[in-house]
Amino acid sequence: MTMKDFRLYRFFLTLFCCLCCTVPVSADTGNQKSILLLSPNMLNSPYLYDFYSAFKAKLNAERAEPVIIYEENLDLSRFPLSSDQTNLDTWLKTKYKDIKIDAVVVVGQTVLNYLLTHQQLMWLDTPILFTLASDSEIRKMSLPVNVTGRTLKAGFFDVVQMAKALLPNTQHIAIIGNTAEHDVYRNDLPDEIARLSVDIDIIDLRGKSLPELELAVKQLPKNTAIYFTALTVDDKLRKVVNEFALEKIVRQSNAPILADNPNYIGFGPMAAISFDAGIQGRDTADLLNQILIGKKISSLPISKSTFIPLLDWRELNRWGVSKNNYPADSEVRFYVPTAWELYRWQIGLIFSVITVLLTLVGALLLERKRRNAAVAESRHRLAQIAFMNRKITATVYSEAIAHELIHPLAAILSNTEAAQLFLNQCPPQIAMVQEILVNIRRDDLRAGDLIKSMRGLLTKSESTESLVNVNEVVQKVLNFLAGEAKIRQVQLIESLAPVTLIVIADAIQLQQVMVNLILNALDAIDEADGARRCISIFTAVHEINNVLVSVADTGVGFDENIERVFDSFFTTKEKGMGLGLAITEAIVQAHGGRIWAENCPDGGVVHFSLPLSINGFR
Ligand code: ADP
């Protein structure tokens, strides 16, 4: 490296150092303001950190140039100074001797106490602004003219009031924490205890070891609340981690815990006295701004802040505190909203949908009930009409029945006479008589069947469904009408399916369908008066799961009337009523079937189909 290079290097190095290093500012800072912030232990306390953030933000909010803040963490609670100790004074004095300080901001009571005891050494004429100091302490002090600030007004009295407000039955207050000589923050606590013990039973557990405390808090009397101050020194004067002690007490305690430190909330205490760090920071910055613009300290009186109760919702619930007992202006933390609060709209929507669905289901059920009632009613009416129809048709075929009965009755009579003759012979011919008796029995059963069928047709009016064999019904009707067919000289030809065709139906109504169709066929044949006089009846399986029944005749056929024959009161007969096919169609449709008529070269044919009952078919 040449000499020239070396000089260049030295120039840049010096420039770099000027830019990067924080050089103590000399007395000449122009309009720029500098303050010294003396704090107890900024880094260890989230509360003080929040305070400082809000303070700094507000202080510089409307400034072109930020205030220079020198900060000293004195940590006096952990390192208390003896009155004759001057090391710190000397150190501070030396450190800041060349620095212009426009105001000293003192955070907390202990730091203020220190500064007021030692301040004659420096900053005699500098404005001193204290904050977060104890109201009761400040009231006891006579402050120099260059000092003003903000106090916090809260103490043991407020803790007791808060306990009584939350749990009105509170009768005992157990105090846990450092003894008075090790509690620099609560100087007035002993006086407060003495004053309040008149109204409430105070169980003073200060100065006990942690194991002793763990045992004691398990056995506290009913209606006790614990006031946890701070436990940093145990009975053997060993240091204790406050949070660790609190955690142990919380775990064992049979009583709710209250505190005057908002940082404890969330770690077990039910309630704490709280001064919002943000508000304190901003209010302190406001006061400082007034000092920095040159307002006289005498025109800035000491102001005090009142606390807000800070509550842990989970602990309130645990100790059964009613919501009505929450003090006014309290701040509730760790609140767990109910499902209703979280999903109000969703739950509302679900309930609305369920309500709509239930209403629809209700309406549908009602509709179904009405429809069932209507179906039952129409079936009842159909049954009544069908019954009337049977009575009408009964007169038509009663003659045929009478004719049919004459044969078995005449046969029974002649057989009886023959039996008498065989019995009078000597010896009586018992074998012949037995044969005759068999014939008499057969003729009697046939006559009985005919009468039974007739009675079934004429007495039953209500519809009852059962498994019915279609082929059997057809045969029964053919038997029944055989006499009438014979009178009219019509041949009945049956062509029945070779399988059992089972349908679910009212057997009497099915018989009536067949009777109506066959009587109509007989009438059509009479009207045609042709040479071929026959009716063919077919049964078959139709479209896999239906039964088809067809009645074909050699009559006049339906011709152009085919569209109207199922209409009520449509008739082409002189004495007709036009109801037979309408009722027949109604019966078939009520059984889930359909009916239709066709013209064919020989005459007419009527088909009807019914759903086949699969079980029966098998
Ligand atoms: P009614 O027998 O009292 O006239 P129906 O309802 O039984 O009443 O029949 C209505 C009409 O349908 C009959 O008047 C007839 O004109 C016609 N009809 C019914 N069955 C047949 C058939 N097998 N062949 C031709 N016409 C028929």
Side-chain angles (χ1 to χ4, degrees):
M1 188 185 283
T2 62
M3 197 54 164
K4 196 179 163 198
D5 290 341
F6 179 70
R7 278 200 207 110
L8 205 63
Y9 169 74
R10 214 174 48 182
F11 169 76
F12 280 115
L13 189 69
T14 315
L15 186 69
F16 179 75
C17 287
C18 287
L19 288 172
C20 299
C21 300
T22 309
V23 182
V25 181
S26 70
D28 183 20
T29 52
N31 272 337
Q32 190 166 38
K33 302 290 180 191
S34 309
I35 64 158
L36 173 61
L37 187 83
L38 299 177
S39 66
N41 188 354
M42 195 71 85
L43 292 175
N44 239 359
S45 161
Y47 181 86
L48 287 182
Y49 180 81
D50 290 347
F51 164 86
Y52 183 63
S53 306
F55 167 78
K56 203 173 153 188
K58 187 74 200 278
L59 187 63
N60 291 324
E62 286 162 22
R63 281 176 192 281
E65 253 185 312
V67 173
I68 295 171
I69 302 174
Y70 297 97
E71 195 209 328
E72 295 298 338
N73 262 327
L74 303 189
D75 205 1
L76 294 178
S77 60
R78 288 195 292 184
F79 299 97
L81 298 168
S82 56
S83 54
D84 59 343
Q85 187 173 351
T86 55
N87 286 351
L88 183 61
D89 311 343
T90 316
W91 179 74
L92 280 173
K93 196 175 171 186
T94 314
K95 188 173 178 183
Y96 291 98
K97 76 176 164 28
D98 294 330
I99 296 177
K100 179 181 82 85
I101 296 293
D102 294 300
V104 178
V105 177
V106 181
V107 180
Q109 188 64 45
T110 39
V111 183
L112 178 67
N113 290 348
Y114 160 75
L115 190 72
L116 292 182
T117 323
H118 299 259
Q119 71 146 350
Q120 57 273 36
L121 300 170
M122 52 191 153
W123 306 308
L124 268 178
D125 303 320
T126 310
I128 293 176
L129 162 59
F130 62 82
T131 187
L132 305 184
S134 156
D135 186 65
S136 55
E137 287 292 300
I138 294 293
R139 268 190 280 127
K140 283 187 223 156
M141 299 165 93
S142 70
L143 297 169
V145 286
N146 63 330
V147 178
T148 190
R150 297 176 49 74
T151 62
L152 305 179
K153 190 179 170 333
F156 181 50
F157 172 78
D158 300 297
V159 173
V160 174
Q161 290 305 106
M162 203 159 64
K164 281 184 168 175
L166 291 168
L167 293 162
N169 292 335
T170 305
Q171 289 167 4
H172 319 275
I173 296 279
I175 306 176
I176 295 175
N178 291 342
T179 50
E181 62 270 24
H182 292 108
D183 193 346
V184 288
Y185 293 113
R186 297 171 189 83
N187 291 338
D188 51 349
L189 184 57
D191 292 347
E192 287 280 274
I193 292 174
R195 187 166 68 86
L196 293 172
S197 57
V198 181
D199 297 330
I200 194 156
D201 175 40
I202 291 170
I203 305 165
D204 194 350
L205 301 174
R206 289 177 302 164
K208 290 209 181 290
S209 70
L210 198 50
E212 281 173 330
L213 285 171
E214 284 183 81
L215 201 66
V217 293
K218 269 187 201 171
Q219 302 158 357
L220 290 169
K222 218 176 155 214
N223 298 325
T224 300
I226 296 172
Y227 171 35
F228 185 92
T229 58
L231 195 57
T232 53
V233 185
D234 73 3
D235 56 329
K236 308 269 181 334
L237 298 183
R238 285 176 309 210
K239 296 229 180 298
V240 176
V241 177
N242 195 26
E243 289 76 13
F244 174 74
L246 175 63
E247 194 188 317
K248 293 216 152 197
I249 304 284
V250 165
R251 213 174 289 161
Q252 302 297 337
S253 169
N254 68 351
I257 299 171
L258 293 95
D260 54 11
N261 185 341
N263 291 336
Y264 295 167
I265 284 293
F267 297 98
M270 177 177 76
I273 281 171
S274 170
F275 294 90
D276 186 274
I279 295 174
Q280 294 305 321
R282 284 187 290 277
D283 288 354
T284 306
D286 282 341
L287 191 57
L288 178 60
N289 272 329
Q290 297 198 50
I291 292 170
L292 292 179
I293 59 171
K295 276 206 174 174
K296 284 203 166 108
I297 293 291
S298 56
S299 68
L300 300 169
I302 294 167
S303 59
K304 55 181 145 186
S305 312
T306 44
F307 70 91
I308 54 157
L310 190 62
L311 310 176
D312 185 331
W313 185 79
R314 300 163 305 183
E315 294 299 315
L316 292 166
N317 263 8
R318 181 180 161 206
W319 298 105
V321 177
S322 156
K323 204 173 178 186
N324 301 333
N325 294 351
Y326 295 4
D329 304 329
S330 52
E331 182 189 327
V332 180
R333 293 215 182 140
F334 307 108
Y335 177 70
V336 182
T338 59
W340 171 246
E341 285 166 324
L342 276 178
Y343 306 109
R344 193 182 299 251
W345 290 111
Q346 292 89 330
I347 292 173
L349 196 71
I350 289 168
F351 268 106
S352 314
V353 170
I354 289 174
T355 312
V356 169
L357 285 178
L358 285 178
T359 315
L360 278 177
V361 168
L364 286 174
L365 284 176
L366 203 71
E367 177 59 28
R368 203 176 116 171
K369 204 175 156 192
R370 277 199 199 126
R371 218 178 54 199
N372 286 347
V375 167
E377 175 65 16
S378 79
R379 275 179 173 263
H380 175 68
R381 284 184 193 283
L382 177 66
Q384 282 181 334
I385 293 168
F387 180 60
M388 280 167 62
N389 172 242
R390 285 199 298 274
K391 276 192 160 176
I392 294 163
T393 49
T395 53
V396 178
Y397 47 72
S398 59
E399 276 181 32
I401 292 165
H403 181 264
E404 198 62 7
L405 280 177
I406 284 168
H407 289 289
L409 290 176
I412 289 168
L413 185 64
S414 58
N415 274 330
T416 316
E417 287 167 359
Q420 273 174 342
L421 287 175
F422 284 126
L423 283 172
N424 288 339
Q425 282 181 13
C426 197
Q429 297 202 21
I430 301 297
M432 291 302 286
V433 172
Q434 275 175 340
E435 203 179 307
I436 286 168
L437 283 175
V438 170
N439 289 340
I440 289 173
R441 187 169 184 274
R442 187 200 59 215
D443 291 336
D444 182 77
L445 286 177
R446 190 168 162 225
D449 271 357
L450 274 170
I451 291 164
K452 231 189 271 171
S453 308
M454 183 76 179
R455 201 171 56 196
L457 277 170
L458 293 178
T459 55
K460 191 166 166 290
S461 73
E462 286 308 315
S463 151
T464 37
E465 291 188 337
S466 59
L467 294 176
V468 175
N469 184 333
V470 175
N471 285 344
E472 272 180 16
V473 170
V474 171
Q475 270 166 340
K476 216 173 195 175
V477 173
L478 289 180
N479 276 345
F480 193 59
L481 292 177
E484 179 71 9
K486 202 183 260 180
I487 293 168
R488 301 210 203 177
Q489 296 172 336
V490 174
Q491 188 191 1
L492 296 178
I493 304 165
E494 57 177 70
S495 173
L496 304 185
V499 289
T500 311
L501 302 171
I502 303 290
V503 293
I504 295 173
D506 181 319
I508 298 293
Q509 289 185 3
L510 211 52
Q511 279 179 34
Q512 191 178 353
V513 168
M514 290 305 300
V515 168
N516 284 351
L517 296 183
I518 293 171
L519 287 180
N520 272 347
L522 288 171
D523 289 348
I525 291 169
D526 281 347
E527 201 182 333
D529 201 16
R532 277 198 69 221
R533 296 174 69 84
C534 61
I535 301 174
S536 305
I537 297 103
F538 305 91
T539 62
V541 176
H542 175 61
E543 291 172 351
I544 304 171
N545 48 7
N546 286 300
V547 178
L548 180 74
V549 182
S550 308
V551 179
D553 62 66
T554 53
V556 286
F558 295 97
D559 298 333
E560 69 279 1
N561 297 328
I562 197 156
E563 299 296 326
R564 305 168 59 201
V565 289
F566 293 103
D567 293 350
S568 305
F569 305 112
F570 174 79
T571 183
T572 55
K573 297 172 196 168
E574 201 180 321
K575 290 184 180 169
M577 292 182 69
L579 285 174
L581 284 184
I583 291 170
T584 302
E585 184 184 44
I587 292 173
V588 171
Q589 286 176 349
H591 286 79
R594 64 185 190 96
I595 188 166
W596 66 102
E598 282 174 3
N599 283 311
C600 58
D602 281 351
V605 57
V606 179
H607 308 276
F608 71 90
S609 70
L610 292 174
L612 194 58
S613 162
I614 301 298
N615 285 340
F617 185 56
R618 277 181 188 152

